Amino acid sequence: MIKQLLPPATIGIVGGGQLGQMMTLAAKSMGYKVGVLDPTPDCPAAQVADFQITADYRDQPAMLALAKRADVLTYEFENVDLASLKAAKQYAELPQGTHLLAITRNRLTEKNFLKSLGVPVTEYAAVTTPTELKAACQTVGVPSILKTATGGYDGHGQHDVNTLADLATDLLPGDCILERRQAFTKELAIMVTRDRDQQVRTFPVVENSHHQHILHETIAPAPVSAAIKAEVVAIATKIAQGLELYGVLGIEFFLLPNGRLLVNELAPRPHNSGHFSIEACNLSQFAVHIRSICGLPIPAITQQRPAVMVNILGQQLQSARQRWLQQPQWYLHDYGKSESRYQRKMGHITILTDDPVATQAQLEQENIWEDQ
């Protein structure tokens, strides 16, 4: 059983982006103090935290300095230095451990773990050489997607392999995984956590749509049958128990035309798929994450109103800010990033609605997202 930490304990967050910012806001509302480790001065999380240690994530002395000032450590992204985290455990609690990161930061390790639990995944193979890539295309089949085993996000480190003619040795930047591309009908997702007593709690199942490998829109709850939702929850529960999970975990699924579900990816932290929960649920994914790592009770999670969440990228930010003036019912979240770049996540909008289909149609008429 993990240690119970009450306010005004200090939470140290490795990473200062928007997820860290929203974690911090949730923690501060409960009375916790928050410190952030991030190399960018005045990063989004630092703008609302009590203090920032400005250093690279791989800087072990900086990690230890954060741990010495904190009671518990957490992180907002996967590519944290595991050796530094292990060393930091002598100074602060680390309820999520390093096992969770070791599994989810490597796509091949993640797929092997899911397969060991009996969780359905797409066909896949490890690839490190051109010879292995050719062999994998024969066993896994095409069309497929070649992904770097580590370091990929929002479509980075991914290459489509539509035919054997697409193969090229320059597609192999290092250790990779070849995954069979699935002709799915929907992309579904769920956020899951466990409390101090190992009680599994899940958020509503949602439907996601991606543009250019970046999450564009989330509909909550997903317009799928009760049976499919129950199966998603059952799989999420199995994964959470298998990981001995603390904190929240995002799980992405493919729903195939025959009704079969495949787990696509895991995210060992709050996830874009759960942003809707800030306005739409009795507890947000960020509040639940803080409760879990601090050993607090977590009640059943309920959705109070349907919602649609849309990401705002760099090329859309100014238009979204202006359009917000005419749409006061929108909940605009501007992450406060210092540099607005093309395809960079700069914020999101959540709309509470009794008719998600009509809301989607309205959003399609907005010019903000037309380049997507």
Side-chain angles (χ1 to χ4, degrees):
M1 186 175 291
I2 65 173
K3 186 175 181 179
Q4 197 166 58
L5 296 169
L6 294 173
T10 298
I11 300 168
I13 301 175
V14 182
Q18 65 266 23
L19 298 179
Q21 182 187 69
M22 288 180 275
M23 278 188 212
T24 301
L25 290 169
K28 293 294 290 179
S29 73
M30 299 180 207
Y32 291 97
K33 296 186 182 303
V34 179
V36 176
L37 171 63
D38 194 278
T40 304
D42 198 34
C43 58
Q47 293 169 24
V48 294
D50 293 279
F51 67 89
Q52 176 181 4
I53 295 176
T54 306
D56 190 87
Y57 305 120
R58 295 164 294 183
D59 186 330
Q60 188 166 121
M63 181 78 79
L64 296 181
L66 177 67
K68 289 175 182 178
R69 297 179 66 178
D71 297 291
V72 61
L73 292 178
T74 188
Y75 41 81
E76 67 144 20
F77 66 103
E78 288 88 329
N79 296 312
V80 181
D81 183 64
L82 293 181
S84 295
L85 270 182
K86 288 177 182 178
K89 288 173 64 177
Q90 63 185 304
Y91 300 111
E93 299 294 319
L94 186 66
Q96 293 164 276
T98 55
H99 179 63
L100 174 63
L101 273 180
I103 289 174
T104 56
R105 69 191 300 173
N106 185 295
R107 288 187 171 106
L108 183 61
T109 305
E110 181 177 284
K111 285 286 192 297
N112 289 339
F113 167 76
L114 292 170
K115 191 174 181 180
S116 74
L117 288 181
V119 171
V121 296
T122 191
E123 295 88 348
Y124 67 95
V127 173
T128 56
T129 67
T131 300
E132 289 177 347
L133 177 57
K134 291 179 181 178
C137 284
Q138 297 292 338
T139 56
V140 172
V142 292
S144 295
I145 304 174
L146 182 68
K147 302 178 180 180
T148 55
T150 60
Y153 67 96
D154 287 347
H156 296 278
Q158 298 188 22
H159 300 276
D160 291 332
V161 181
N162 296 308
T163 68
L164 294 179
D166 291 335
L167 297 183
T169 57
D170 60 358
L171 292 182
L172 288 169
D175 291 343
C176 294
I177 180 172
L178 187 74
E179 299 180 4
R180 179 66 182 260
R181 189 192 305 159
Q182 296 291 333
F184 55 85
T185 59
K186 291 181 184 292
E187 296 176 89
L188 304 178
I190 192 171
M191 304 303 301
V192 61
T193 190
R194 294 195 315 164
D195 64 17
R196 187 168 180 255
D197 298 320
Q198 291 84 53
Q199 172 70 48
V200 175
R201 300 294 192 189
T202 57
F203 283 83
V205 180
V206 303
E207 180 181 356
N208 287 337
S209 60
H210 289 75
H211 289 162
Q212 298 179 34
H213 300 288
I214 299 174
L215 179 60
H216 170 58
E217 186 176 80
T218 297
I219 303 170
V224 295
S225 69
I228 289 173
K229 290 178 182 177
E231 187 177 354
V232 169
V233 170
I235 292 172
T237 300
K238 177 184 285 191
I239 293 171
Q241 291 171 334
L243 289 169
E244 298 182 355
L245 177 69
Y246 291 105
V248 297
L249 176 79
I251 309 175
E252 295 180 316
F253 294 80
F254 293 143
L255 177 61
L256 304 187
N258 63 2
R260 186 179 177 218
L261 285 164
L262 300 178
V263 172
N264 180 35
E265 288 185 347
L266 306 181
R269 49 171 172 75
H271 188 266
N272 209 159
S273 299
H275 287 354
F276 76 96
S277 62
I278 297 173
E279 286 83 22
C281 295
N282 60 326
L283 289 172
S284 75
Q285 64 166 337
F286 302 99
V288 165
H289 181 82
I290 298 301
R291 285 180 180 232
S292 179
I293 65 170
C294 290
L296 303 184
I298 302 173
I301 298 163
T302 59
Q303 185 169 356
Q304 296 160 334
R305 283 194 67 188
V308 176
M309 188 286 305
V310 186
N311 272 326
I312 302 171
L313 305 181
Q315 65 271 25
Q316 302 158 348
L317 182 59
Q318 292 303 322
S319 295
R321 285 170 174 165
Q322 292 300 314
R323 198 72 184 95
W324 182 41
L325 297 175
Q326 286 78 47
Q327 300 288 353
Q329 75 277 15
W330 288 0
Y331 291 90
L332 172 66
H333 294 258
D334 189 328
Y335 303 145
K337 294 182 179 180
S338 59
E339 183 182 359
S340 180
R341 297 195 303 266
Y342 181 76
Q343 296 294 80
R344 187 186 194 192
K345 291 176 183 174
M346 300 300 295
H348 72 268
I349 288 170
T350 300
I351 305 171
L352 301 182
T353 173
D354 294 326
D355 191 343
V357 174
T359 299
Q360 276 188 293
Q362 174 199 343
L363 288 170
E364 289 176 2
Q365 296 174 6
E366 301 286 347
N367 292 326
I368 299 170
W369 298 280
E370 62 181 359
D371 65 326
Q372 290 296 294

